[in-house]
């Protein structure tokens, strides 16, 4: 049973290469805009808040809270949890909650990043702390 199978292999390009390199080492990278100070994810070269091109890489703590989630029970590979996690640094991302008890998962629960290898790259998932 592999969560990785549900994801297409991410396309890497020069803009996101530092993200994937860090992911291989288990580090979650986000970007912060030095013009407006907002952090964003997925990393882009143009700030999605103020459209400045002054964005810099920053390592996320990997800590976050579950903003919302659904348990997907009708999957051929078994039930899994689709969720939005809000990182401590501010940005939210769509991800899967892994290594968790489906019955006790709660909105607002604290989670931490865990990387799982897929065919092409390591993808960030989250697990309860
Ligand atoms: Zn900005």
């Amino acid at each position: 049973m592999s969560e990785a199978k549900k994801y297409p292999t991410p396309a890497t390009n020069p803009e996101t290469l530092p993200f994937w390199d860090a992911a291989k080492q288990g580090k979650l990278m986000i970007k912060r805009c030095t013009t407006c100070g907002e952090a964003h994810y997925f990393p882009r070269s143009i700030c999605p808040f103020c459209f400045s091109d002054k964005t810099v890489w920053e390592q996320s703590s990997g800590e976050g809270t579950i903003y919302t989630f659904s348990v997907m029970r009708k999957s051929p590979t078994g039930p899994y949890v689709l969720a939005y996690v809000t990182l401590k640094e501010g940005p939210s991302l769509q991800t899967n909650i892994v290594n968790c008890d489906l019955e006790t998962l709660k909105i607002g629960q604290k989670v931490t990043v865990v990387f799982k290898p897929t065919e092409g790259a390591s993808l960030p998932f989250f697990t309860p702390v």
Side-chain angles (χ1 to χ4, degrees), residues 32-38 40 46-52 54-55:
R32 188 176 294 277
C33 171
T34 58
T35 302
C36 71
E38 292 284 343
H40 68 266
I46 303 291
C47 171
F49 300 100
C50 73
F51 308 107
S52 164
K54 308 262 187 309
T55 57

Side-chain angles (χ1 to χ4, degrees), residues 72-123:
M72 313 304 279
R73 294 188 187 276
K74 291 185 181 166
S75 160
T77 51
Y80 66 98
V81 182
L82 190 63
Y84 275 94
V85 165
T86 304
L87 293 172
K88 205 165 99 180
E89 291 80 12
S92 296
L93 60 147
Q94 190 181 327
T95 183
N96 285 5
I97 309 296
V98 296
N99 307 332
C100 63
D101 182 344
L102 300 179
E103 306 308 322
T104 62
L105 216 55
K106 286 195 293 280
I107 286 172
Q109 191 166 349
K110 292 204 182 315
V111 289
T112 189
V113 74
V114 51
F115 282 87
K116 293 204 175 254
T118 64
E119 283 168 22
S122 290
L123 287 176

